Amino acid sequence: MTNQKQTVSLKWLLVGVLITNTAMSFIWPLNTIYLHETLHKSLVIASLVLFFNQFATMLGSLIGGKLFDQWQPYYAILLGISLNIFALGGLIFLHTWPFYAILLILSGFANGISVTCENSLATRVKNRRSSYVFNLLYFAANFGLVFGTLTVGYILPLGIGYVFALTTSIQILFLLVAYKKYNVARSVTENKRNFTGHKGKMTSQILGVLFLTLVCWLVYEQWQSNLSAYMVELGFPVKKYSLLWTLNAVLIVVFQPLVTFFDDWLLKHLRGRLNLGALLLVNSFVILLLPFKHNYLLYLLSMCLLTLGEILLFPGVASFVDLAAPTNLTGYYQGKVQVFSALGKAIGPVFGALIIDNSNYEVLFLVCGLMVLGAELVFSLPLLKKTT
């Protein structure tokens, strides 16, 4: 290939992340409602469709990482976006059962490829540390989610076909951006960088942080699934639950740039950043165990802690893995981050529902907190071994 570069422009990478997350946020809030209310499928069937969607995302992430490292980053991301355009374009006309489920799963697979390639390209931004770039990508992704979820409410009354038409159009715009700006060559340089300085420790470090990622996404998903039912059961209107996610978005927009500003200091204390983020997630569930469950302020405070935790934790994971992995395997390891994230998202709602069915919500909150603490211990094991 001619005119290939070793680096990618931060500006255009952020534009791509903003575009793709705006497009996908038109769809994800509608899936359960559309499957259950319009297609008249049970909540079990709807949950299974979303599970397979996330499973397909995991598979796409693995394949996307391999394609990024062993084929061509440029062609890999173009492939992912093109497959997504095909799937979403099909949904414009084929949004009945079972085509809706099949195309939604294909979209998840395609999105896994393209998101992994985006995160891998973040390590190829010129004159910027990947930790700084990952912070900005997280901000751009969430800004896109806010814009998309606010807009879809005005489009849906026109018909579900219009939602998919707009989503497909935005993905076509993303394809044009990638075609013009993401022409990056495959890296052939191996440079092992890890925190301990011992190559043998690298695998345990990465496995530890990936396990922490899986568990934290699993408990985080309780807020997007089972907590809504809990609050409705307590008599809170749905709009008060939705307001919590507005608060989530506002906090991310306000605090993520602050985290980026202190990137130098946070990078030097990356383990501490991840542990603090996880502890904030733990405390967001501890608060829910307090005997004031009918007080809305309790949920506002819990959401504040949850959001601050995710701001520190999730972008920091990508930075940690990038520093601990060989540069010629960037796509492979960033793909692993996406796989473990998708796995946590996939099993989280089912995991929570099983605990609730067999006990109650308070047990779920306690289990979530203990699981994150256990994952933090696993994450710290390589460091503990080093000091003993």
Side-chain angles (χ1 to χ4, degrees), residues 274-303:
L274 296 181
N275 281 313
L276 177 58
L279 284 174
L280 287 169
L281 259 66
V282 170
N283 284 296
S284 72
F285 285 96
V286 170
I287 285 176
L288 295 176
L289 290 169
L290 296 175
F292 311 110
K293 60 184 180 181
H294 289 94
N295 190 332
Y296 187 61
L297 290 176
L298 192 76
Y299 303 94
L300 290 172
L301 180 57
S302 180
M303 177 56 79

Side-chain angles (χ1 to χ4, degrees), residues 7-11 13-14 121-136 193 260-261 263-264 267 319 322-323:
T7 60
V8 66
S9 165
L10 175 59
K11 175 181 70 176
L13 186 58
L14 291 174
L121 285 172
T123 67
R124 307 281 286 276
V125 173
K126 186 177 181 181
N127 299 327
R128 292 290 187 183
R129 282 194 307 270
S130 59
S131 57
Y132 178 88
V133 178
F134 284 127
N135 285 328
L136 289 180
R193 301 161 292 169
T260 304
F261 181 79
D263 180 65
D264 285 346
L267 187 62
S319 300
D322 178 55
L323 288 171

Side-chain angles (χ1 to χ4, degrees), residues 325-347:
T327 54
N328 67 322
L329 293 176
T330 296
Y332 174 80
Y333 282 105
Q334 291 301 324
K336 291 289 187 183
V337 174
Q338 297 305 313
V339 166
F340 278 75
S341 300
L343 182 60
K345 294 175 186 178
I347 65 179

Side-chain angles (χ1 to χ4, degrees), residues 343-359:
L343 182 60
K345 294 175 186 178
I347 65 179
V350 179
F351 172 85
L354 287 172
I355 291 180
I356 294 165
D357 286 346
N358 289 281
S359 54

Side-chain angles (χ1 to χ4, degrees), residues 221-255:
E221 280 299 301
Q222 305 312 313
W223 267 101
Q224 299 197 47
S225 55
N226 297 305
L227 262 294
S228 59
Y230 178 64
M231 291 183 67
V232 170
E233 283 183 16
L234 292 175
F236 292 104
V238 174
K239 67 179 181 180
K240 284 206 168 184
Y241 171 75
S242 299
L243 183 62
L244 293 175
W245 289 108
T246 303
L247 174 64
N248 174 271
V250 170
L251 289 173
I252 289 174
V253 169
V254 171
F255 283 100

Side-chain angles (χ1 to χ4, degrees), residues 296-313:
Y296 187 61
L297 290 176
L298 192 76
Y299 303 94
L300 290 172
L301 180 57
S302 180
M303 177 56 79
C304 287
L305 293 177
L306 184 83
T307 306
L308 294 175
E310 72 167 291
I311 290 171
L312 290 172
L313 181 64

Side-chain angles (χ1 to χ4, degrees), residues 9 60 118 120 138 168 180 291 321 340 351 368:
S9 165
E118 284 176 328
S120 300
Y138 198 75
T168 304
K180 290 286 187 181
V321 170
F340 278 75
F351 172 85
C368 285

Side-chain angles (χ1 to χ4, degrees), residues 23-324:
M24 299 313 295
S25 64
F26 286 128
I27 299 175
W28 71 261
L30 306 177
N31 285 326
T32 301
I33 297 172
Y34 186 74
L35 283 162
H36 185 56
E37 301 294 336
T38 304
L39 298 183
H40 307 295
K41 300 300 173 184
S42 69
L43 288 175
V44 173
I45 295 296
S47 298
L48 284 173
V49 171
L50 298 182
F51 174 84
F52 284 113
N53 172 265
Q54 288 295 335
F55 185 82
T57 301
M58 292 165 53
L59 183 60
S61 298
L62 285 174
I63 292 175
K66 282 189 172 292
L67 292 176
F68 188 94
D69 292 329
Q70 300 176 15
W71 186 32
Q72 288 284 348
Y74 181 56
Y75 290 145
I77 195 166
L78 292 181
L79 173 64
I81 301 169
S82 299
L83 279 175
N84 216 2
I85 290 171
F86 173 80
L88 296 172
L91 284 169
I92 298 173
F93 310 101
L94 300 171
H95 42 262
T96 57
W97 185 264
F99 302 107
Y100 185 89
I102 294 170
L103 291 173
L104 190 67
I105 292 168
L106 177 60
S107 176
F109 174 78
N111 205 45
I113 295 175
S114 58
V115 170
T116 296
C117 289
E118 284 176 328
N119 279 7
S120 300
L121 285 172
T123 67
R124 307 281 286 276
V125 173
K126 186 177 181 181
N127 299 327
R128 292 290 187 183
R129 282 194 307 270
S130 59
S131 57
Y132 178 88
V133 178
F134 284 127
N135 285 328
L136 289 180
L137 291 187
Y138 198 75
F139 174 84
N142 281 278
F143 191 82
L145 290 176
V146 172
F147 181 76
T149 52
L150 287 175
T151 306
V152 70
Y154 296 96
I155 301 171
L156 185 59
L158 301 175
I160 193 74
Y162 288 94
V163 174
F164 291 121
L166 180 59
T167 304
T168 304
S169 300
I170 295 174
Q171 284 289 335
I172 292 172
L173 178 61
F174 183 32
L175 180 64
L176 293 175
V177 170
Y179 178 75
K180 290 286 187 181
K181 302 297 180 179
Y182 295 174
N183 192 359
V184 175
R186 180 168 67 94
S187 174
V188 295
T189 304
E190 181 176 2
N191 176 25
K192 290 189 179 292
R193 301 161 292 169
N194 58 77
F195 299 101
T196 65
H198 301 289
K199 293 181 181 180
K201 298 288 186 183
M202 187 184 69
T203 300
S204 60
Q205 289 186 85
I206 293 177
L207 286 175
V209 79
L210 289 177
F211 180 69
L212 180 66
T213 302
L214 185 153
V215 171
C216 287
W217 270 116
L218 184 151
V219 303
Y220 186 91
E221 280 299 301
Q222 305 312 313
W223 267 101
Q224 299 197 47
S225 55
N226 297 305
L227 262 294
S228 59
Y230 178 64
M231 291 183 67
V232 170
E233 283 183 16
L234 292 175
F236 292 104
V238 174
K239 67 179 181 180
K240 284 206 168 184
Y241 171 75
S242 299
L243 183 62
L244 293 175
W245 289 108
T246 303
L247 174 64
N248 174 271
V250 170
L251 289 173
I252 289 174
V253 169
V254 171
F255 283 100
Q256 191 66 53
L258 187 63
V259 170
T260 304
F261 181 79
F262 288 102
D263 180 65
D264 285 346
W265 188 86
L266 289 170
L267 187 62
K268 293 176 183 176
H269 304 85
L270 189 51
R271 279 185 175 272
R273 168 184 174 167
L274 296 181
N275 281 313
L276 177 58
L279 284 174
L280 287 169
L281 259 66
V282 170
N283 284 296
S284 72
F285 285 96
V286 170
I287 285 176
L288 295 176
L289 290 169
L290 296 175
F292 311 110
K293 60 184 180 181
H294 289 94
N295 190 332
Y296 187 61
L297 290 176
L298 192 76
Y299 303 94
L300 290 172
L301 180 57
S302 180
M303 177 56 79
C304 287
L305 293 177
L306 184 83
T307 306
L308 294 175
E310 72 167 291
I311 290 171
L312 290 172
L313 181 64
F314 294 134
V317 167
S319 300
F320 187 97
V321 170
D322 178 55
L323 288 171

